[in-house]
Amino acid sequence: MNRYTELNYQGNRGFASGLLAVVALFLLAAAGAAWVSMGIVANDRWPIRWLELNGEFQRVSAEQLRASISPLINESFFTIDMQELRDAAGRISWVSAVRVQKNWPETVTVTIEEYTPIAHWNRGQLISQNGEPFSVPESDEIQGLPWLRGPEERLDDVLRYWSEFSELLVPLGLEISSIRLDRRGAWSMDLSNGTHVQLGRDSTLERLERLLASWDSLMVEQAAPPQDVDLRYTNGFAVMWPQHLDNAK
């Protein structure tokens, strides 16, 4: 076989393969149309019989999730609207993410993730462990979480400073119960022991380190921690003690 004949043969073989692919696609489309016309994917065929629910279920109950999802399980395995199920589950308070799967031949599995709050953010919002703000009913009533306050657009800064300040306080057994960034850029915070600390706008980490370096000596012979500490000084800080103490300074 000469070169021309060989090339021509390969070309014919490629054409035949392409033609077979087109025919196969046509047959699949025809079979699908026939399937539908025969009612195989109708609502009364291949019904969903099982709804499987997965999640931690700490703030969202399985019963609550089932009540939201069950009314939508009225389609067949092939016609059920998966996005509708995701939307219904996602509208439940405390649900942060939803995954929906179909398991042949009659099961739908819905898996949810819940928000894990780590702090309050201003009024009416919480911060998730991923640093995202979210809202749930009566969020301000939740106990045991620190309060973070500041301009909405400065959330990342407030989170960062809260983390940095907390790392400095932990060795002394101190915790932040609230931290605030005002519109002028000044920082202040309340500690879990009742002490209010004013840090100002500049060199806040250095100022806090100055206080903590003196904390043990500051607390010598004191029956209670300071009421207020003002760190907005260049080379020192001012301390106000509770007035009812006999040895108040």
Side-chain angles (χ1 to χ4, degrees):
M1 182 182 295
N2 59 34
R3 175 179 171 80
Y4 172 79
T5 304
E6 181 180 357
L7 292 175
N8 188 53
Y9 170 76
Q10 291 178 349
N12 290 337
R13 185 171 60 182
F15 174 78
S17 298
L19 181 61
L20 287 174
V22 171
V23 172
L25 289 174
F26 174 79
L27 291 176
L28 285 173
W35 216 29
V36 174
S37 65
M38 292 170 61
I40 293 178
V41 296
N43 289 355
D44 58 345
R45 304 286 185 92
W46 307 104
I48 300 297
R49 300 185 186 278
W50 301 99
L51 175 60
E52 181 179 329
L53 306 178
N54 297 320
E56 295 293 331
F57 297 119
Q58 295 182 356
R59 297 182 182 272
V60 179
S61 68
E63 292 74 17
Q64 183 183 10
L65 180 59
R66 188 178 298 277
S68 297
I69 298 296
S70 293
L72 305 176
I73 310 296
N74 56 2
E75 300 286 332
S76 76
F77 186 87
F78 300 99
T79 62
I80 191 167
D81 190 333
M82 305 288 277
Q83 187 58 51
E84 187 178 33
L85 298 182
R86 279 188 286 268
D87 292 342
R91 285 192 290 269
I92 301 175
S93 296
W94 290 102
V95 171
S96 64
V98 182
R99 185 172 67 256
V100 180
Q101 292 177 288
K102 293 191 294 185
N103 301 308
W104 178 263
E106 55 187 10
T107 303
V108 168
T109 301
V110 179
T111 303
I112 65 166
E113 295 180 12
E114 299 182 26
Y115 286 111
T116 300
I118 60 172
H120 292 277
W121 172 238
N122 293 326
R123 286 291 179 182
Q125 297 184 85
L126 297 167
I127 302 297
S128 74
Q129 60 183 356
N130 297 324
E132 301 174 355
F134 67 98
S135 298
V136 294
E138 300 180 352
S139 59
D140 289 351
E141 305 303 318
I142 296 176
Q143 303 294 315
L145 297 176
W147 282 88
L148 280 58
R149 295 181 174 89
E152 293 292 335
E153 67 276 9
R154 298 291 300 276
L155 171 58
D156 289 344
D157 292 329
V158 176
L159 283 171
R160 178 166 56 87
Y161 274 77
W162 173 46
S163 176
E164 292 177 352
F165 292 164
S166 296
E167 287 183 6
L168 293 176
L169 292 165
V170 164
L172 292 176
L174 301 173
E175 295 181 355
I176 298 174
S177 60
S178 70
I179 185 170
R180 180 174 183 267
L181 172 65
D182 66 22
R183 288 288 177 182
R184 299 173 300 167
W187 294 89
S188 61
M189 61 184 179
D190 292 307
L191 304 183
S192 56
N193 63 3
T195 300
H196 178 68
V197 181
Q198 301 180 68
L199 295 112
R201 290 182 293 181
D202 304 313
S203 305
T204 51
L205 283 174
E206 291 82 354
R207 291 174 177 178
L208 182 57
E209 288 172 340
R210 184 192 311 152
L211 169 65
L212 299 182
S214 305
W215 186 261
D216 288 340
S217 59
L218 192 68
M219 291 300 300
V220 171
E221 297 182 358
Q222 296 295 336
Q227 177 178 324
D228 188 272
V229 177
D230 190 346
L231 302 177
R232 297 171 297 176
Y233 294 86
T234 303
N235 298 312
F237 54 84
V239 178
M240 182 173 72
W241 297 92
Q243 296 182 1
H244 67 276
L245 296 179
D246 293 337
N247 58 348
K249 295 182 180 180

